[in-house]
Amino acid sequence: MPSIVNVTALVSALSLAAAGALAQTAPTPPAPPAAAAPAARPAAASPVVFAQVHLTVKDIAAAKKLWVDGLGGTAVMAGATDAVKFPGLLVLLHKGEPKGGAKGSTVSIVALEVKDLAATVKALKAGKVKMVTREETNNIYTVADDIATIPDQQTISAVAQTPEEVSVRLIENKRAAAPIAFRHIHFAPPTMNEAIDWYARAFGAKVGNRGFGFESLDLGKQASALMFTLAPGKVVGTDGRSLSRIGFEVRGAALLAKKIQGMGGTIVKPFGRSTDLGASSVVVSDPWGTLIELTEGLKL
């Protein structure tokens, strides 16, 4: 008869063997699933073909001289309306007497990209165009000969002003495909986040670069086409100002206008044929009073 000690050892050995067998045959429990990353919301395709700014000017010939001779645009006719064309932008000139400049309204500046800023500024000065680079540029920039620079960066810019007080920011890009082209429309909304979100949803734009107190939206293939800086004080809408409205040539203007109306915008002028522009158009307003003309079929 085995001793008590031997029986105990035998039981222990059998228990260890059984545990080993179970460890070899028992399935490994599945690892808990990893938390799924939130799916990115796909951005809607932008319906915008090119941007527009509508200017109310006292003298059409003088305005064309500035935009064509000074800035290098091409004079064209948009229907019966005088206009100046740049890659990505159409500047439409309407004769009239504006009740105020762009500053103080919800759209403060139109910006262009140039290959040779020094040459452009020289041409503008030769044409007696007023330069307001220091007044319209953040104090972190150094300004010399009406050209602003940041010493430790490659940012070079200047600001010209039309007789009707529309500021035109010129930003140098020596690698640009064209000598001068559209860069962005600069908004000064009374509230930033709401305005950015509204324009993103309305036009299928995506969040772009941000810094130095501004944020931007990419519009189609145009990076940072819509720029936003919080208004420093009370602002008014663009109606009646020298930059009276912005605009976009779009696909599906009537449908887009209804979408904008459903987002808190207003249809100011119903969709129809514009005899002045020779195209179908509708004028809407964003919730902060910026007039926007949506054209479809504008031929240049």
Side-chain angles (χ1 to χ4, degrees), residues 10-119:
L10 179 61
V11 170
S12 296
L14 290 172
S15 297
L16 289 171
L22 287 173
Q24 291 176 1
T25 58
T28 303
R41 185 172 63 181
S46 171
V48 176
V49 179
F50 58 82
Q52 307 161 13
V53 289
H54 293 254
L55 307 182
T56 301
V57 299
K58 300 172 186 177
D59 187 330
I60 295 285
K64 287 173 73 173
K65 184 176 178 62
L66 186 158
W67 289 93
V68 176
D69 295 347
L71 291 169
T74 302
V76 296
M77 295 299 295
T81 302
D82 286 284
V84 180
K85 183 179 179 181
F86 299 89
L89 177 69
L90 186 67
V91 179
L92 296 118
L93 306 172
H94 308 272
K95 187 173 175 58
E97 189 76 35
K99 63 183 181 183
K103 195 170 185 177
S105 78
T106 50
V107 179
S108 57
I109 287 176
V110 57
L112 300 170
E113 184 175 85
V114 299
K115 264 191 171 182
D116 189 339
L117 183 60

Side-chain angles (χ1 to χ4, degrees), residues 58-256:
K58 300 172 186 177
D59 187 330
I60 295 285
K64 287 173 73 173
K65 184 176 178 62
L66 186 158
W67 289 93
V68 176
D69 295 347
L71 291 169
T74 302
V76 296
M77 295 299 295
T81 302
D82 286 284
V84 180
K85 183 179 179 181
F86 299 89
L89 177 69
L90 186 67
V91 179
L92 296 118
L93 306 172
H94 308 272
K95 187 173 175 58
E97 189 76 35
K99 63 183 181 183
K103 195 170 185 177
S105 78
T106 50
V107 179
S108 57
I109 287 176
V110 57
L112 300 170
E113 184 175 85
V114 299
K115 264 191 171 182
D116 189 339
L117 183 60
T120 303
V121 169
K122 183 177 179 181
L124 289 169
K125 287 183 174 182
K128 307 300 182 184
V129 176
K130 183 179 181 181
M131 300 300 300
V132 291
T133 305
R134 179 69 283 172
E135 298 93 319
E136 295 291 341
T137 303
N138 192 298
N139 286 331
I140 64 173
Y141 287 77
T142 299
V143 177
D145 297 326
D146 294 304
I147 293 177
T149 61
I150 298 180
D152 61 344
Q153 296 184 26
Q154 298 300 313
T155 305
I156 304 174
S157 64
V159 185
Q161 191 177 78
T162 74
E164 291 80 22
E165 297 184 349
V166 173
S167 292
V168 183
R169 187 174 297 280
L170 306 165
I171 303 167
E172 186 173 89
N173 178 6
K174 291 190 177 296
R175 296 176 296 175
I180 188 164
F182 173 61
R183 179 66 175 251
H184 63 252
I185 294 170
H186 204 129
F187 296 82
T191 174
M192 284 277 281
N193 291 339
E194 290 86 347
I196 292 167
D197 182 64
W198 192 89
Y199 275 89
R201 291 186 293 116
F203 293 100
K206 297 184 294 184
V207 174
N209 292 331
R210 55 183 68 184
F212 298 132
F214 65 79
E215 296 194 36
S216 71
L217 291 173
D218 298 344
L219 195 57
K221 295 181 180 180
Q222 179 67 41
S224 300
L226 307 181
M227 193 74 71
F228 299 83
T229 302
L230 184 65
K234 184 179 179 181
V235 289
V236 299
T238 60
D239 189 21
R241 311 289 284 205
S242 53
L243 200 163
S244 60
R245 60 192 182 276
I246 62 172
F248 301 104
E249 169 71 9
V250 300
R251 300 177 294 272
L255 289 175
L256 182 54

Side-chain angles (χ1 to χ4, degrees), residues 259-283:
K259 174 185 175 181
I260 286 172
Q261 186 179 38
M263 293 172 53
T266 305
I267 294 180
V268 177
K269 181 182 176 183
F271 181 77
R273 187 74 178 172
S274 169
T275 54
D276 288 341
L277 297 177
S280 297
S281 79
V282 54
V283 179

